Amino acid sequence: MNSSLRVLPSVAAALAAGQPVVALESSVLAQGLPIPANRQAADLMTGAVEAAGATAAVTAVVAGVPTAGLTDDEMVRFLRREGVAKVSARDLAPAIARGGDGATTVAATLQIARLAGIDVFATGGIGGVHRNASLDRPSAVDESADLAELARTPMVVVCAGAKSILDLPATWERLETLGITVVGYRTGELPGFFAAETGIRLANRAETATEIAEIFRAERSLERPGALLVVQAPPVEHRLPGSVVEAAVDCALRAAAAEGVRGAAVTPYLLAAVERETAGRSLQANLALLESNARLAGEIAQALAGIELSRCEVVYRQQFSREQEASG
Ligand code: PSU
Ligand code: MN
């Protein structure tokens, strides 16, 4: 474990004992969701991970210290959102040097979780290739750093696909080019975050958490550098019709272009605009999918810990029988 990293004692104890741990990002709490829904999201996600028998570790940069597992007081501070910067991969080192508070995106969470030795991470939707929000600059492609970090971080990442505000076919092509393994959990279609359908067929699907754990083990045995992206559709009762999402995203994109929104502000701006356009229905969908992704991540972490345990058992039994032979 990296010494410059702070790991909450309960998380460190779980890791040391080989018990399941799930990393959670904090940017969705400090930038992605409004107050007080962000508190609800934190409670739902943490509760779902724990209900699955795993320990949750929210990652962040806390007063300049990269951290896996926030204390209750720190969580309150992050949920207040004041003075909490959005920290992607490129912003981690400056945030540490500055000594400030930073909420980590998927890209930055991957780095902290890896340093902490955590193998499973749950989020809502990953970043990806943006649509042409900047109609005045059609050649400037805005692509989230999430994709590059997913390509070089070995970790199970559970999500509901890429956020609906993005260009999903383009994002899908980039995932393929980068060699990121995408597996549908009980679905053969890439989900569209708020909506279940995108029309994009997945090459691989799995029906159980154990199957996903086996795929991750196989990835590790190949020493492939990237993430295993597990996608599942948002819960049936909260998902939005694709047409509703599309209409809302259209309005949001036009507003963003008119206001000249750029860079890291684009994603939070679009999410807030879609929420207004759908009269809050996207917010309910967002909360529900965050919870169900956290639950599935907890189950996968359990399954992985089970595989590790059975490996240990095999080694132990081999050792035991060797000792028996030697003494007998
Ligand atoms: N998904 C959500 N809400 C969010 C995000 C994802 O439902 O706020 C955040 C994640 O932290 C993701 C980030 O990594 O948005 C992507 O931002 P950007 O496009 O600037 O890389
Ligand atoms: Mn961007």
Side-chain angles (χ1 to χ4, degrees):
M1 203 175 289
N2 188 293
S3 62
S4 60
L5 187 74
R6 205 198 68 193
V7 181
L8 197 67
S10 57
V11 173
L15 286 169
Q19 288 161 359
V21 175
V22 173
L24 302 172
E25 61 152 307
S26 48
S27 179
V28 66
L29 304 176
Q31 282 92 31
L33 292 168
I35 296 169
N38 60 352
R39 156 60 70 185
Q40 224 181 322
D43 291 346
L44 287 171
M45 292 187 85
T46 305
V49 168
E50 286 169 2
T55 301
V58 176
T59 68
V61 177
V62 180
V65 181
T67 299
L70 300 183
T71 65
D72 292 343
D73 287 350
E74 287 162 357
M75 180 58 92
V76 167
R77 200 162 92 217
F78 274 73
L79 291 173
R80 249 189 260 125
R81 304 171 55 138
E82 286 158 24
V84 179
K86 174 174 167 179
V87 170
S88 187
R90 59 154 192 210
D91 311 308
L92 269 170
I96 292 166
R98 212 172 42 239
D101 280 341
T104 48
T105 66
V106 169
T109 297
L110 285 168
Q111 311 226 340
I112 292 181
R114 173 157 63 171
L115 287 177
I118 300 171
D119 285 337
V120 185
F121 163 29
T123 183
I126 59 164
V129 183
H130 280 268
R131 305 186 200 191
N132 253 336
S134 47
L135 296 171
D136 53 333
R137 295 180 311 160
S139 61
V141 175
D142 180 353
E143 176 179 324
S144 174
D146 289 358
L147 296 183
E149 293 304 326
L150 285 167
R152 55 176 166 237
T153 313
M155 180 134 354
V156 180
V157 179
V158 183
C159 66
K163 289 186 295 282
S164 323
I165 55 173
L166 301 169
D167 182 334
L168 296 179
T171 301
W172 172 247
E173 294 298 338
R174 286 293 291 151
L175 285 166
E176 183 175 349
T177 302
L178 291 166
I180 297 165
T181 304
V182 182
V183 176
Y185 178 71
R186 299 184 179 170
T187 181
E189 181 173 357
L190 184 72
F193 193 56
F194 299 132
E197 77 276 12
T198 57
I200 296 169
R201 301 307 305 166
L202 295 170
N204 301 287
R205 69 181 274 167
E207 306 303 321
T208 66
T210 306
E211 271 176 72
I212 293 167
E214 295 291 354
I215 296 170
F216 186 60
R217 282 294 138 217
E219 290 270 3
R220 304 309 316 122
S221 71
L222 292 169
E223 298 177 21
R224 281 173 57 73
L228 170 58
L229 194 65
V230 178
V231 297
Q232 71 168 341
V236 176
E237 61 280 19
H238 293 288
R239 60 180 66 152
L240 302 181
S243 56
V244 170
V245 176
E246 278 313 298
V249 170
D250 267 357
C251 286
L253 288 171
R254 260 195 297 270
E259 291 186 31
V261 181
R262 295 268 191 277
V266 171
T267 293
Y269 179 94
L270 291 177
L271 288 171
V274 168
E275 188 195 321
R276 281 194 304 277
E277 288 300 321
T278 60
R281 283 171 74 199
S282 69
L283 182 60
Q284 291 313 312
N286 206 339
L287 290 174
L289 67 86
L290 283 166
E291 182 183 24
S292 81
N293 292 347
R295 187 180 313 115
L296 176 56
E299 291 166 6
I300 295 168
Q302 273 285 3
L304 271 173
I307 291 173
E308 293 297 343
L309 208 66
S310 56
R311 291 252 163 90
C312 292
E313 230 168 85
V314 169
V315 171
Y316 173 77
R317 281 208 208 100
Q318 283 168 347
Q319 205 179 327
F320 184 74
S321 57
R322 269 200 301 275
E323 279 166 17
Q324 292 284 89
E325 265 168 42
S327 69

